[in-house]
């Protein structure tokens, strides 16, 4: 009888182990299924992130190409603007050259003088139309921002730092000095 008890105990233990293993197996299957579902979710998120990265990269490349095109177009426009302005200035000066040639064609001094006066007047009009103004200097106080003092004289009839003579006229375009007035300063 003892053998029978041992054997029944062993069978009972083994049966318990089998039941426990079956429960664990069911739990493992549930765990595996849960992990597979999580893996699928992670794969979907990775796919979305990859798509977002691809979209962002495409937007970046498009923006880079647009910027490069803008830079090239701006450089081309800058060159074009400079050459257009240069051509415009030269075309404005051509009538002055025409007038000088007409004045040179005359033989007598009076007509040449009149021709030169007309040429200077037309040149002054062109310069004014282009926004260039003469720097007024004679009798004014010396200003190193617009004048270039090349000579000094002592003259009691003139004030301190007063310009007594303009040796070469100066010109401005707006607030920019194109050429400083070369002057003689008193006292």
């Amino acid at each position: 009888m003892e053998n029978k008890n041992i054997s029944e105990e062993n069978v009972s233990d083994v049966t318990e182990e089998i039941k426990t293993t079956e429960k664990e197996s069911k739990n493992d299957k549930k765990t595996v299924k849960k992990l597979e579902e999580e893996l699928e979710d992670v794969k979907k998120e990775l796919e979305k992130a990859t798509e977002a990265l691809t979209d962002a990269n495409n937007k970046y490349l498009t923006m880079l190409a647009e910027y490069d095109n803008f830079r090239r177009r701006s450089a081309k426009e800058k060159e074009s603007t400079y050459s257009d302005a240069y051509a415009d200035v030269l075309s404005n000066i051509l009538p002055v050259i025409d007038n000088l040639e007409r004045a040179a064609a005359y033989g007598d001094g009076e007509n040449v003088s009149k021709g030169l006066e007309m040429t200077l007047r037309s040149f002054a009009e062109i310069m004014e139309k282009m926004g260039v103004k003469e720097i007024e200097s004679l009798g004014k106080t010396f200003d190193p921002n617009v004048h270039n003092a090349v000579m000094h004289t002592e003259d009691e009839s003139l004030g301190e730092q007063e310009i007594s003579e303009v040796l070469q006229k100066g010109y401005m375009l707006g607030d920019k000095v194109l050429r400083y007035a070369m002057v003689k300063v008193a006292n």
Side-chain angles (χ1 to χ4, degrees), residues 164-183:
S164 62
E165 187 178 343
V166 177
L167 305 172
Q168 187 178 50
K169 292 179 181 180
Y171 294 94
M172 294 184 75
L173 178 63
D175 292 337
K176 182 179 180 179
V177 176
L178 294 176
R179 183 174 77 186
Y180 291 88
M182 198 178 301
V183 296

Side-chain angles (χ1 to χ4, degrees), residues 39-55:
L39 179 62
E40 285 300 316
D41 290 343
V42 169
K43 283 181 180 178
K44 287 177 184 176
E45 287 179 29
L46 178 62
E47 196 174 296
K48 286 179 185 178
T50 303
E51 286 177 17
L53 179 62
T54 302
D55 287 346

Side-chain angles (χ1 to χ4, degrees), residues 5-161:
N5 278 343
I6 292 175
S7 178
E8 283 179 20
E9 272 181 36
N10 283 344
V11 169
S12 173
D13 287 342
V14 170
T15 305
E16 282 299 316
E17 268 185 54
I18 290 173
K19 287 181 181 177
T20 304
T21 305
E22 284 177 352
K23 283 182 185 176
E24 287 175 358
S25 174
K26 285 181 183 179
N27 286 339
D28 285 345
K29 285 180 182 178
K30 287 180 183 177
T31 304
V32 167
K33 192 171 185 176
K34 193 186 269 184
L35 288 175
E36 285 175 346
E37 289 173 359
E38 286 179 16
L39 179 62
E40 285 300 316
D41 290 343
V42 169
K43 283 181 180 178
K44 287 177 184 176
E45 287 179 29
L46 178 62
E47 196 174 296
K48 286 179 185 178
T50 303
E51 286 177 17
L53 179 62
T54 302
D55 287 346
N57 192 36
N58 288 340
K59 286 179 183 178
Y60 168 74
L61 291 174
T62 302
M63 184 177 64
L64 187 63
E66 286 177 3
Y67 174 73
D68 192 41
N69 290 338
F70 170 75
R71 185 181 50 79
R72 288 182 193 160
R73 189 172 49 251
S74 295
K76 197 178 215 180
E77 287 175 3
K78 183 179 177 183
E79 287 176 27
S80 175
T81 300
Y82 176 77
S83 64
D84 289 349
Y86 192 69
D88 194 35
V89 167
L90 292 176
S91 68
N92 282 328
I93 293 175
L94 291 176
V96 175
I97 293 171
D98 294 338
N99 288 338
L100 286 171
E101 288 173 347
R102 285 187 205 109
Y106 287 103
D108 66 37
E110 190 176 318
N111 284 332
V112 171
S113 179
K114 283 183 182 179
L116 286 175
E117 284 178 24
M118 289 172 51
T119 302
L120 283 173
R121 202 172 22 250
S122 69
F123 194 73
E125 289 171 2
I126 290 169
M127 297 293 273
E128 186 178 323
K129 193 165 55 171
M130 293 172 56
V132 177
K133 294 182 181 173
E134 182 182 328
I135 298 171
E136 293 185 29
S137 301
L138 190 60
K140 303 286 183 188
T141 303
F142 175 76
D143 181 359
N145 295 317
V146 292
H147 300 119
N148 182 14
V150 294
M151 296 178 81
H152 181 77
T153 185
E154 294 293 329
D155 189 346
E156 296 302 319
S157 65
L158 298 173
E160 186 73 23
Q161 295 291 312

